[in-house]
Amino acid sequence: MDPGDARSILEDERERGLALIAAATSLDDLERAKVALLGRKSPWSQVQRSLGRLDPDARRELGRLSNEVKATLEDAFDARREALEGSSEDALLEGDRVDVTLPGRRPRPGSLHPLTIVQSRIVDVFTRMGYRVAEGPEIEDEWHNFEALNIPPDHPARTMKDSLYVDVPGLLLRTETSAVQIRTMETQQPPVYVIVPGRVYRREAVDATHGSMFQQVEGLAVDEGISFADLKGTLEAFAHAMFGSDRRVRLNPDYFPFVEPGAQLAVSCFVCDGAGCRVCGNGWIELLGAGMVHPKVLENCGYDPERYTGFAFGLGIERVAMPLYGVNDLRLFYEGDVRFLEQFEGAP
Ligand code: 2NL
């Protein structure tokens, strides 16, 4: 290569290179410019390779120029890379920018589950009468769940068909919260006035009015001189507090092994006042089972049935909530559908 040509190529490349580097708008652009200017096939590399064939004076002079051009371009690359890196960071920051002046997105307020609302209303009615709240384990032994409640081993409620047993022999998911009242009586002397909310479990097919789990509130009063009239008066006061003071109540005979006598309490329908409608069917809403505590149950807990008497009752919260809110399918309470649940926002 002619030394004059080599010189002018190097000088051109310096100009072209500085312009190319300045025009690069991204780090990729810049990398491509570097290959074009100083890569193996670049004009600068061709001049570099031809230096060895020049005479010593020209080689020294052009060698110095070639190194100068390379150093100039590399400095320009480095400066441009720093500028581009800075601006890509700016772009990232810009993308993450938060406009603190925008109005906030208000989170949906949660609300109490309808069964929770009804449960606390029921419990409140009794705590205002002086009852204490008692709670206990959901996995029970056969003594507290059956034996102490006067449910003998051959009773149908005992079979696997109606109960859900766990893998430990003798333990099952409680079928009623009565076990908690048994535990209360075992550990304290009368007078006992307790209200017991909780989940109970049955081996039943799920349909509109039954589930394998339901929520119960049971009550127990044991003292000297408690009569069936106390049972009726207490439950009437409860019905009035839940459904309004115009309600009438009636007791029909019923059987539960842990009470004697046993009864079913119904309240006149608050929609049709006893005439019969969609909510109640025949004018009466069956609310709960109740009765005078069986003497054997008192005895099983170490109480003297000659001295103490008591009444007890048990209700499914769903049974109270359904007529109260006009819900006709129990499964709605357990599906977690927000369209159903949001209707109870702010419910009393
Ligand atoms: C119902 C009926 C009832 C009881 C529960 C009870 C508890 C003890 C002693 C005597 Cl420790 N009785 N509980 C009494 C009558 C009925 O429940 O249909 N529940 C959903």
Side-chain angles (χ1 to χ4, degrees), residues 149 178 181-182 185 216 218 256 258-259 289-290 293 312-316:
L149 285 160
S178 313
Q181 291 97 291
I182 297 295
M185 290 191 280
Q216 223 192 359
E218 285 206 17
F256 303 100
F258 24 87
V259 290
V293 180
F313 58 89
L315 59 82

Side-chain angles (χ1 to χ4, degrees), residues 5-224:
D5 289 350
R7 167 180 291 279
S8 71
I9 287 172
L10 287 174
E11 283 168 352
D12 287 353
E13 282 298 288
R14 176 160 54 196
E15 293 316 302
R16 183 174 83 93
L18 290 174
L20 212 54
I21 291 165
T25 55
S26 70
L27 292 169
D28 283 348
D29 259 8
L30 190 62
E31 201 47 46
R32 277 192 292 276
K34 188 167 191 173
V35 172
L37 293 166
L38 298 175
R40 272 173 356 94
K41 290 178 187 160
S42 64
W44 176 84
S45 279
Q46 282 165 21
V47 171
Q48 187 73 6
R49 276 194 296 274
S50 73
L51 292 179
R53 290 188 294 275
L54 297 175
D55 66 73
D57 279 351
R59 184 163 69 212
R60 200 176 305 116
E61 198 214 319
L62 283 170
R64 198 185 306 119
L65 178 61
S66 171
N67 284 342
E68 256 177 47
V69 168
K70 187 186 185 205
T72 304
L73 293 179
E74 280 179 340
D75 284 351
F77 278 124
D78 290 346
R80 189 67 188 140
R81 180 183 298 115
E82 266 179 42
L84 288 173
E85 277 171 354
S87 71
S88 68
E89 199 169 301
D90 286 349
L92 269 178
L93 287 174
E94 185 60 32
D96 282 352
R97 187 187 173 100
V98 174
D99 183 351
V100 295
T101 66
L102 282 174
R105 288 195 201 107
R106 200 177 285 279
R108 270 183 86 98
S111 57
L112 292 178
H113 190 279
L115 295 180
T116 306
I117 297 171
V118 173
Q119 182 189 70
S120 59
R121 278 190 57 193
I122 296 169
V123 169
D124 278 359
V125 171
F126 287 96
T127 53
R128 279 197 292 266
M129 293 187 211
Y131 286 65
R132 283 173 197 277
V133 178
E135 283 175 310
E138 293 188 9
I139 294 177
E140 267 297 354
D141 54 60
E142 290 177 313
W143 167 258
H144 291 97
N145 196 79
F146 293 131
E147 206 91 33
L149 285 160
N150 196 33
I151 304 173
D154 58 355
H155 192 279
R158 283 263 195 139
T159 63
M160 295 291 284
K161 194 170 157 289
D162 297 333
S163 319
L164 292 160
Y165 278 80
V166 300
D167 283 344
V168 183
L171 297 187
L172 71 155
L173 295 175
R174 66 184 180 193
T175 54
E176 54 256 318
T177 62
S178 313
V180 181
Q181 291 97 291
I182 297 295
R183 289 176 181 280
T184 305
M185 290 191 280
E186 281 175 341
T187 53
Q188 76 187 59
Q189 286 301 303
V192 165
Y193 293 87
V194 286
I195 188 80
V196 184
R199 294 168 191 274
V200 302
Y201 302 85
R202 305 267 166 97
R203 201 173 162 106
E204 281 191 78
V206 177
D207 64 22
T209 54
H210 297 89
S212 52
M213 184 277 286
F214 69 96
Q215 301 190 58
Q216 223 192 359
V217 176
E218 285 206 17
L220 172 75
V222 181
D223 208 337
E224 284 183 33

